[in-house]
Amino acid sequence: MINSTCQITLFVKSKEEAKAFYTEKLGFIIRDEAQFTDDWSYLTVSPRANSEIVIELIEAVTAEEKQLVGRQAAEQVLLMFKVYDIHNTYQHLKANGVKFEGEPVKVPGGIGVGFEDLSGNKLDLFEEVNHEN
């Protein structure tokens, strides 16, 4: 039986630029980085060391891969990141140069705001809001 998800692949324009964006602007950590051959390297990032899912950043090389950059989920959000204080996180990331689509607003189940990485991948911040009845 499948127990969990452990990795997602994300095509990017430039692996080094994406690495800088995810680590310097979003504050992610590098989980694994290895150069196996001249044309094959491996790089994964995640928000924290104990994050269950890592994001593998792959520089698009072929024409097919290049067409997928920023479009892996078409016009939909590809990845959503859960936060505990969306307003402070939003202000911090905005100060780091992250460009948002607007300001945090109420969405089903909480508060959210969209942004893009340097390759145009659509991402979201989401803070879950518990509704007491």
Side-chain angles (χ1 to χ4, degrees):
M1 301 267 310
I2 296 173
N3 295 325
S4 64
T5 302
C6 62
Q7 180 174 306
I8 184 169
T9 299
L10 185 62
F11 286 111
V12 295
K13 293 176 186 175
S14 163
K15 188 183 288 190
E16 286 305 311
E17 288 177 4
K19 176 181 169 182
F21 177 84
Y22 281 87
T23 59
E24 296 170 16
K25 298 219 182 272
L26 298 186
F28 283 27
I29 62 166
I30 296 171
R31 292 286 294 271
D32 288 298
E33 185 171 24
Q35 185 75 40
F36 296 107
T37 65
D38 287 342
D39 60 349
W40 180 38
S41 63
Y42 182 71
L43 172 64
T44 60
V45 296
S46 68
R48 297 189 330 231
N50 64 348
S51 296
E52 190 170 318
I53 299 172
V54 297
I55 301 168
E56 181 182 7
L57 302 173
I58 296 182
E59 188 165 329
V61 177
T62 68
E64 182 180 18
E65 290 171 349
K66 288 178 181 181
Q67 287 181 337
L68 292 173
V69 173
R71 305 259 322 131
Q72 286 177 223
E75 292 301 317
Q76 301 303 311
V77 172
L78 178 63
L79 295 169
M80 184 177 288
F81 302 112
K82 198 173 194 179
V83 298
Y84 294 110
D85 185 339
I86 196 165
H87 296 289
N88 282 339
T89 302
Y90 167 80
Q91 291 297 334
H92 175 76
L93 295 180
K94 193 172 177 181
N96 275 355
V98 174
K99 294 186 171 95
F100 286 89
E101 295 175 355
E103 295 186 8
V105 296
K106 288 184 182 180
V107 296
I111 304 169
V113 63
F115 65 102
E116 291 184 359
D117 70 5
L118 298 176
S119 294
N121 293 298
K122 293 184 182 299
L123 311 170
D124 261 7
L125 295 182
F126 176 74
E127 179 182 351
E128 187 174 25
V129 177
N130 294 328
H131 298 284
E132 296 181 23
N133 295 338

